[in-house]
Structures are given as structure tokens and as C-alpha cells.
Amino acid sequence: MLKKTILVTGAAGFIGYHLCEQLIALGHKVVGLDNINDYYSISLKSNRLNELGITQISNTLTSSSKHAENFQFIKLDLTDSEGLNALFDRFEFDMVCNLAAQAGVRYSIENPSAYIDANIVGFLNLLECIRHHKIKKLVYASSSSVYGLNKKVPFEATDNVDHPISLYAATKKSNELMAYTYSHLYGIQTIGLRFFTVYGPWGRPDMAMFLFTDAILNNKPIKVFNEGKLSRDFTYIDDIVEGVKNTLLVPQPEEKKYSLYNIGNGSPVKLLDFIKAIEYSTGKTAEKIMMPMQLGDVEQTWADTTALEKDYNYKPNTDIQVGADRFVKWYIDYFKI
């Protein structure tokens, strides 16, 4: 396989960090970008980068102490169009993977402007750089939240997604439309991945696996929304990264300029069963506080991943108990419990 030069935005994030590890291991040259915002723990982001050999976070390019020139990192916000253009001038990127975004459904209700800046303005700046530097391929993160209150399951990428119920979902739907436009106008191959609920070591502190594990191990109650009558297509990080990596590196026919795929486990898990898996891994029983449904939330997510399996050999196979065991072990090691 020819070695590529790949820009990964959101490189200090959960999925971005794991993707960088995989791409570097395959011998590709990776440039990581992240604005290191304080939506959640900056120290967690810094420690992910430390695992990649970045010990000093800087607004200028820094080479990895572990991977040398095969991994370089820069602290940069996608809204900084001048800084972004300078980065594209410096490297001849073969492709771009955009995982940078303001994440979180509930937070989008509290702070909507952060989502417009990061997910709309930032994405436009990135598309413009890709266009002007004649880069042929963009893989970008969309979200299962675009399906809104759709009742038909499993969700298919061809389903109508015109009814988002959070601003976060609306920005992700906007990204898909923007990508389509740039594919049509400028011949850029764009691949949108609608991520379903991702979990695993180094995961985000605002996600269920982290929140529940933290509470259970520290003898605190957990909030169970919609009184537990929820199910999610919980997908282990290794399965997700394998899928993202394949969409980047496996060539597709030249005429296939615009694609959308679900990337999930294809098998929803009931929230209470998810909690049971964490209880088994921790050896402790959770104290549960039953709560009503949250604004912007949905009862069920379930991905039809047939298209990604067919085009990119995507095969998620990590059992929820195996994934919970690995996460809890990482959590205990990381926090030295």
C-alpha cells in the first residue's frame, strides 16, 4: 500500500486519537489538528496526545517524540481560516479526515453558537482549503442524531433526515449538504460517516460508559433517562476505527463522488443491559435514579451498516461485555483506582 500524508482534525479527541494510532502504525504520515477546547477535560485530551508522543501542545507544528515526522501536531481552530490555509500550504495532503466538531446533543441546547462556529463555519473553511489545494478525498464525521424521531428501524442512510430535534443534529445534516455541494461543484470525493454511540478506552467523559463507570466505582448514583426505556447501537472504538481507516484508504470508483454511510454495531443494546455489563465489569451494583426523557434525545438508535460492509468490508464484532471490561480496566488504570 502506498504511504499517504493524511490530515486528521480532532486528533486529540476520542476517535481521532485512536485513528491516528492506527494510521501511524500502518506507516502513513499523519498531521493532527485540534483546538483543545474545554468542552470536557483538557488533561484527558493532553494525555491522549502524550500517548502519541506530543508532550508540548503548541500553536506551531510539533513533531512526535515517539513517531518523529510520521506524526506532527498543531493546536489550531478550524474557524482560523488563515492558519488553516497556511497548514495546507505547508503539506501536500493526499486526503483529509474531519473528526473535529463541537459534540454533544444536550450541550447544543445550552450553547448553540458553539455549534455554528465549529460545525458550520469550521467545516466550510476546511472545504475551501480542500477545494483550493485540489485534495481529492474527504472523510468526515456526521452523526446518527440526524435521524431525529424517525420510527423505522434500523436506520438506513437513504432515510429522510429532514427533522433534526437538536441543533447538533441540524449542523451535522448541514455538513452532509455542504459536502454534497462541494462534491458536485469541484469533483471532491466526500464520504460522510454517521457515527452511532461509540465507547471504549480513552472515551469522552460526557458519554454513558464513562459517566456510569465513574459513578459506580465512586459509589455515586447514576441518572437513567426515560426510566431506562432506551436502546443504543453501542459500538466499540476498535470497530469504529477500522471502518474509518478503510473509508480513507480503500479506493472507490472515480465516479462515486458523494457517499453517506452508517457506522455502528448494527445491534442495539437496551440501556439497562448496558448498565448490567458495567456492573459486571466493576463488580458493583449501581444505584439508579430514574429520570424522564431529555430534550433532544431519542428512544432508540439502530444502524443498518450493510452498505459500509459491502463497500469497505466493515465488520463490527466486539461484544458489549468485552467492550465494557476493556473500558473499566482502562478507567481503573488511568485514574489509579
Side-chain angles (χ1 to χ4, degrees), residues 4 15 35 57 105 136 149-150 154 237 239 279 318 320:
K4 306 291 186 181
I15 300 171
N35 68 356
I57 294 172
V105 169
K136 294 298 184 185
L149 295 175
N150 284 16
I237 184 62
D239 294 328
E279 289 175 325
T318 307
I320 192 68

Side-chain angles (χ1 to χ4, degrees), residues 104-296:
V105 169
R106 290 165 194 153
Y107 186 61
S108 70
I109 294 167
E110 301 167 24
N111 191 6
S113 61
Y115 290 76
I116 300 302
D117 291 343
N119 300 2
I120 303 295
V121 177
F123 192 62
L124 175 62
N125 288 343
L126 191 64
L127 286 169
E128 280 291 281
C129 283
I130 290 167
R131 166 197 171 191
H132 289 296
H133 290 81
K134 304 191 184 312
I135 292 160
K136 294 298 184 185
K137 189 172 191 178
L138 165 67
V139 175
Y140 65 96
S142 186
S143 168
S144 62
S145 66
V146 300
Y147 291 107
L149 295 175
N150 284 16
K151 298 298 183 187
K152 180 183 77 65
V153 291
F155 299 147
E156 297 180 61
T158 53
D159 290 345
N160 183 293
V161 290
D162 290 338
H163 306 94
I165 60 168
S166 69
L167 186 66
Y168 171 66
T171 63
K172 288 301 185 180
K173 165 69 172 174
S174 299
N175 287 170
E176 295 176 359
L177 294 171
M178 293 162 76
Y180 179 87
T181 304
Y182 274 69
S183 289
H184 172 73
L185 290 175
Y186 308 115
I188 303 162
Q189 184 186 22
T190 65
I191 301 171
L193 298 175
R194 291 174 175 170
F195 288 102
F196 284 66
T197 311
V198 189
Y199 74 98
W202 295 99
R204 277 173 30 204
D206 62 327
M207 299 293 281
M209 176 65 79
F210 201 115
L211 289 168
F212 291 162
T213 299
D214 178 75
I216 291 168
L217 286 174
N218 290 290
N219 302 309
K220 297 175 183 175
I222 63 173
K223 294 179 180 178
V224 182
F225 293 109
N226 204 35
E227 299 184 343
K229 295 188 282 288
L230 297 171
S231 63
R232 292 287 180 269
D233 208 341
F234 293 107
T235 315
Y236 190 65
I237 184 62
D238 289 4
D239 294 328
I240 287 285
V241 169
E242 184 69 16
V244 178
K245 180 188 62 144
N246 286 355
T247 59
L248 278 167
L249 301 178
V250 174
Q252 282 291 296
E254 184 66 23
E255 65 273 9
K256 195 167 186 177
K257 290 298 182 188
Y258 174 82
S259 305
L260 279 174
Y261 296 97
N262 289 330
I263 182 164
N265 198 50
S267 179
V269 175
K270 292 178 181 176
L271 182 58
L272 293 177
D273 290 338
F274 181 70
I275 293 168
K276 281 180 186 174
I278 301 170
E279 289 175 325
Y280 183 84
S281 298
T282 58
K284 301 179 78 170
T285 301
E287 178 189 343
K288 303 173 188 68
I289 300 174
M290 296 302 179
M291 303 283 288
M293 185 70 116
Q294 294 289 284
L295 274 175

Side-chain angles (χ1 to χ4, degrees), residues 3-76:
K3 303 309 179 189
K4 306 291 186 181
T5 301
I6 305 169
L7 173 64
V8 176
T9 74
F14 174 32
I15 300 171
Y17 154 67
H18 283 280
L19 178 64
C20 288
E21 288 271 31
Q22 285 284 314
L23 294 173
I24 295 164
L26 290 171
H28 299 288
K29 184 174 184 177
V30 179
V31 177
L33 173 159
D34 203 294
N35 68 356
I36 320 288
N37 70 24
D38 62 357
Y39 170 64
Y40 66 82
S41 168
I42 288 175
S43 67
L44 178 59
K45 296 177 182 180
S46 299
N47 288 334
R48 289 178 186 137
L49 289 174
N50 194 259
E51 291 290 305
L52 291 165
I54 301 296
T55 54
Q56 293 287 332
I57 294 172
S58 172
N59 294 321
T60 57
L61 273 164
T62 305
S63 294
S64 166
S65 61
K66 186 185 294 184
H67 304 293
E69 295 294 305
N70 266 20
F71 183 68
Q72 294 173 272
F73 178 80
I74 185 169
K75 182 182 178 185
L76 183 66

